[in-house]
Amino acid sequence: MSVPEVNAAVAFGVLTMVSWGIWIVVGNAASESMDPITAAAISYIVAATLAVGYVFLSGASLSITPRDGGLAAIAGVFAGIGFISTYVGLSRGSATVVSTLSAMYFVVAAVIGMTILGDEVTVTRVAGVLLALLGVVLIAR
C-alpha cells in the first residue's frame, strides 16, 4: 500500500519543523560556548555530509545542467549567509528573537513571488504577510 502524497508532504513538513526547532536550540547553545562562525561551519559540514550521503543512498540523479547547478549554488550562497547570520545572531541576542525573525523567510519569498515572479497579489496573501509580521512583533517584545 502506498502512502498518499499529501501525507508524505505533511510528514516531511513536520520533520522539517521539528528539526529546525531543535537545530536553533542546539545552535544557540553552541554559539554561546564557542565562536559562532566556527559553530556554523561545523554544523554546515555535518549537514552537507548528510545531504551528500542522502543523495547517494536515495539514488537521486546526479545529472545536472549548468543552469541547474548554478541555481543550486546561488541557493547555497544564501543558505550559508543565513546559516552564519543565525549563529552570530544567537551569540548576540535572544534565541526567541533570532529564530522568529529567521523563520520569516517565507514572507521574503512571498514578497519576491508577488513583486518579481508575477504571483497573483490577493487580499488573503497580503493579509497573511501582515499577520506574520504582526506575529513577529508580538513574539519579539
Side-chain angles (χ1 to χ4, degrees), residues 7 21 26 31 38 44 60 65 69 72 83 110 114 126 128 133 139:
N7 289 342
V26 177
S31 69
T38 303
Y44 225 77
T65 66
F83 215 66
M114 289 186 283
V126 172
L133 292 172
I139 289 172

Side-chain angles (χ1 to χ4, degrees), residues 1 9 19 47 64 74 79 91 94 96 106-108 114 119 122 124 131:
M1 183 168 141
S19 296
I64 60 169
I74 292 168
S91 73
S94 163
T96 301
F106 70 89
V107 170
V108 174
M114 289 186 283
D119 290 350
T122 65
T124 304
L131 288 171

Side-chain angles (χ1 to χ4, degrees), residues 21-91:
I22 294 169
W23 165 73
I24 201 79
V25 171
V26 177
N28 183 51
S31 69
E32 290 176 353
S33 64
M34 65 187 297
D35 183 281
I37 297 171
T38 303
I42 291 169
S43 290
Y44 225 77
I45 290 167
V46 171
T49 302
L50 285 172
V52 170
Y54 186 73
V55 165
F56 288 107
L57 290 175
S58 70
S61 172
L62 296 175
S63 173
I64 60 169
T65 66
R67 179 185 183 277
D68 297 339
L71 289 172
I74 292 168
V77 166
F78 285 101
I81 291 169
F83 215 66
I84 292 167
S85 297
T86 300
Y87 274 84
V88 173
L90 289 170
S91 73

Side-chain angles (χ1 to χ4, degrees), residues 3-10:
V3 176
E5 193 65 31
V6 171
N7 289 342
V10 170

